[in-house]
Amino acid sequence: MLVRRYVHSLKRMENLCWVQLFAVFLGLNHQAVGGDPFGDAGISARGGQNCDPAPLIKYHEGQKECMYIDPTGARKIGFGYGLDRADAKKVIAKLGVNFTKLYDGPATAFGSACHCSDVICLNEQQISQLFKVALSQAVSDAHKAFSRFDELSCNVQNVLVDMSYLWGYADVKGYFGKFLAWLGIGNWHAAADDLSLTEWCMHYDSGNMKRCMDDVKYVKMGSTCFQPFTRKCNSSSCCKEQETCCMDRWRFVEYIEKTLPEYLCCPYPNAECCPGRNACCPHGYPNCCPTYCCPPGYPVCKDKKCYSVDGKEMAEPHHGIGEY
Ligand SMILES: *[C@@H]1O[C@H](CO)[C@@H](O)[C@H](O)[C@H]1NC(C)=O
Ligand SMILES: *[C@@H]1O[C@H](CO)[C@@H](O)[C@H](O)[C@H]1NC(C)=O
């Protein structure tokens, strides 16, 4: 669980009060970059290769020219470049900076100014070089985590890169599997709702930063529907062409359980939805019985048959109630 990782790494922090660090990590980053909302471009069009996740990530990470420790206990510098990354030693050395001195040197609280006479500070060029390296890793991790990445609209692509930048490939796959699965079937709205109930969003997204909830917002904006989920239910969910979109309630099980309204996909074309049942009936059978469907005029379900309201007439049911 994420919580264990957090708690474990919190214990490693000695130099600074973690409450303060939380405030810094979750809140002040915002002020550090200042900033407008990002990522609205490309909602209606496929992103392809032309999305730019950099502004969103910079906005979420904030910028600092000297080393600081984030709430997970990780040493970072620049736009949240993690000094514990496998390639950090090499990349930092390439900038002409003594890695050991930087890594073992004193950390500055994120909200405080860097005293560059006492600690190592990077210049703008070095910071942007680090960002370039970390960003290209995040882009490749995002592609690896979601194979149809290029078919997503920019707002969703950028969220996947933002998450990969923060968590890395293994944790994105490990902790956000259901979120990725909803994306995989083109249900952006359900993906966003699922994400909003994860430990990251529920537990570690307080303060005024709200990186996770910000990402949720962008996912909810939706994406273009891709094959074979080409039927658009609403702007943020899709079904297969031969299916029917049914609005129902879905019980999400993440860090917390919650039932939320979603468009779900009925396997029948032009189907009759059975709201509240997570089920649907084929076209021409509008009456939903517990395990079967009845034709018009026969709304009474009894003994696996369909009856008229007065119980006098009987009709044959359709036994294949659809479920989702
Ligand atoms: C890096 O700094 C450390 C002291 O923090 C020093 O011992 C080491 O020799 C330095 N390395 C280089 C290559 O300058
Ligand atoms: C889209 O559908 C969801 C249910 O999945 C609903 O909650 C949401 O309000 C709808 N969004 C729009 C923009 O209509």
Side-chain angles (χ1 to χ4, degrees):
M1 296 284 278
L2 286 179
V3 71
R4 234 172 285 133
R5 191 177 123 149
Y6 264 98
V7 169
H8 172 76
S9 36
L10 282 170
K11 285 191 188 130
R12 285 194 277 129
M13 281 191 294
E14 288 147 2
N15 302 350
L16 291 154
C17 161
W18 68 266
V19 174
Q20 178 194 357
L21 275 168
F22 254 118
V24 161
F25 181 60
L26 300 167
L28 301 179
N29 287 10
H30 189 157
Q31 292 165 12
V33 174
D36 314 314
F38 293 97
D40 286 7
I43 286 154
S44 56
R46 247 168 224 180
Q49 313 283 332
N50 299 318
C51 306
D52 181 11
L56 183 70
I57 294 171
K58 288 181 171 179
Y59 169 70
H60 284 154
E61 291 286 356
Q63 178 181 1
K64 198 158 190 65
E65 69 268 35
C66 59
M67 194 261 285
Y68 62 98
I69 298 184
D70 84 356
T72 74
R75 290 166 160 79
K76 293 190 167 177
I77 196 164
F79 290 108
Y81 181 87
L83 294 173
D84 289 306
R85 298 167 57 98
D87 59 352
K89 219 167 193 163
K90 219 170 85 191
V91 174
I92 294 287
K94 241 175 149 179
L95 302 177
V97 173
N98 183 327
F99 178 83
T100 313
K101 212 165 149 188
L102 175 64
Y103 193 91
D104 294 337
T108 303
F110 190 89
S112 308
C114 297
H115 293 292
C116 297
S117 47
D118 305 329
V119 297
I120 295 177
C121 287
L122 302 183
N123 62 34
E124 286 296 323
Q125 203 190 343
Q126 290 169 321
I127 289 173
S128 82
Q129 184 56 33
L130 285 187
F131 183 67
K132 226 171 92 183
V133 170
L135 180 61
S136 89
Q137 178 73 51
V139 169
S140 109
D141 283 355
H143 275 88
K144 220 164 99 186
F146 193 78
S147 61
R148 303 184 73 174
F149 181 88
D150 287 330
E151 295 179 68
L152 296 167
S153 300
C154 284
N155 51 311
V156 184
Q157 283 195 11
N158 292 347
V159 164
L160 282 174
V161 179
D162 188 50
M163 290 172 69
S164 300
Y165 192 97
L166 178 63
W167 294 108
Y169 168 75
D171 284 355
V172 167
K173 278 300 251 197
Y175 295 123
F176 303 103
K178 278 185 252 171
F179 164 74
L180 294 172
W182 282 113
L183 286 188
I185 58 170
N187 197 329
W188 332 112
H189 191 276
D193 278 343
D194 184 272
L195 182 60
S196 77
L197 299 173
T198 59
E199 192 165 14
W200 179 30
C201 267
M202 298 299 303
H203 221 74
Y204 297 107
D205 203 34
S206 53
N208 58 14
M209 187 56 233
K210 299 213 175 290
R211 182 176 193 163
C212 185
M213 287 311 286
D214 201 36
D215 285 346
V216 164
K217 182 184 77 188
Y218 287 118
V219 174
K220 228 166 228 188
M221 286 173 182
S223 185
T224 40
C225 297
F226 49 53
Q227 287 288 347
F229 310 99
T230 47
R231 177 177 297 280
K232 189 170 172 168
C233 300
N234 75 358
S235 60
S236 51
S237 46
C238 317
C239 285
K240 289 182 183 164
E241 201 55 46
Q242 68 279 14
E243 294 177 332
T244 303
C245 304
C246 287
M247 174 70 96
D248 215 320
R249 295 174 66 76
W250 186 261
R251 191 170 67 93
F252 293 91
V253 183
E254 278 293 351
Y255 181 65
I256 66 160
E257 282 183 33
K258 200 167 182 185
T259 301
L260 295 168
E262 301 296 343
Y263 271 117
L264 301 164
C265 304
C266 171
Y268 299 119
N270 299 314
E272 319 278 357
C273 303
C274 311
R277 299 266 313 275
N278 279 8
C280 62
C281 284
H283 184 66
Y285 291 84
N287 295 307
C288 305
C289 293
T291 58
Y292 56 95
C293 305
C294 290
Y298 298 88
V300 180
C301 318
K302 214 179 87 187
D303 303 331
K304 300 207 167 139
K305 300 275 186 212
C306 309
Y307 291 89
S308 57
V309 177
D310 59 14
K312 284 185 179 146
E313 285 180 78
M314 191 194 82
E316 283 302 314
H318 189 289
H319 284 289
I321 194 163
E323 290 188 357
Y324 32 80

